Amino acid sequence: QVRLVESGGGLVQAGGSLRLSCEASGNPFSSYGVGWFRQAPGKEQELVTAIPWYEDTTYYADSVKGRFAISRDNAKNTVYLQMANLTPEDTAVYYCAAGRRYTGRDYMFKFAYDYWGRGTQVTVSS
């Protein structure tokens, strides 16, 4: 069992930056792949970025490439999402997720993740 708790959300002006944190507790976190999803009002939840459990690579949605960066500190059981040059289109609830039972490109899909945080709100004003 893994518990995930996000923090760092808030209100920021367009062009600003935020860093989200996702702290894990429970089973050893280092063996899990992690992902950040977001859900804007009236929209489907989408994958923003992920680190698969089976390789040291990262995936970014086209909409955030060059602006967002995912990183993890296994010693602190924490995953970070550094967000820069934010726009109102980035407004959403951001969720951290963890899983390790998937293969291939399944990390892109919600079903690949067994554990989820409750989310943290990010609001970007214009």
Side-chain angles (χ1 to χ4, degrees):
Q1 193 78 2
V2 176
R3 291 190 306 276
L4 304 173
V5 179
E6 302 95 338
S7 62
L11 174 63
V12 63
Q13 288 188 329
S17 301
L18 279 176
R19 188 176 80 158
L20 306 184
S21 299
C22 173
E23 185 171 357
S25 59
N27 283 345
F29 188 54
S30 60
S31 64
Y32 285 81
V34 293
W36 284 97
F37 289 76
R38 68 184 180 185
Q39 187 164 21
K43 294 188 177 180
E44 293 286 323
Q45 194 176 56
E46 63 172 348
L47 177 66
V48 175
T49 179
I51 302 175
W53 65 267
Y54 50 80
E55 61 186 18
D56 190 20
T57 60
T58 54
Y59 163 85
Y60 293 96
D62 288 342
S63 58
V64 306
K65 280 182 182 176
R67 301 188 299 121
F68 289 14
I70 186 173
S71 62
R72 66 190 302 171
D73 185 337
N74 289 330
K76 295 183 178 180
N77 280 346
T78 301
V79 177
Y80 303 98
L81 179 62
Q82 181 68 51
M83 306 185 293
N85 196 19
L86 287 161
T87 74
E89 287 69 38
D90 295 314
T91 295
V93 178
Y94 285 71
Y95 300 90
C96 174
R100 61 180 179 185
R101 298 189 295 164
Y102 55 84
T103 59
R105 291 175 64 82
D106 285 351
Y107 62 82
M108 297 183 66
F109 304 101
K110 293 185 288 183
F111 69 76
Y113 298 89
D114 296 313
Y115 305 105
W116 292 80
R118 293 187 174 184
T120 185
Q121 176 71 47
V122 172
T123 303
V124 184
S125 63
S126 58

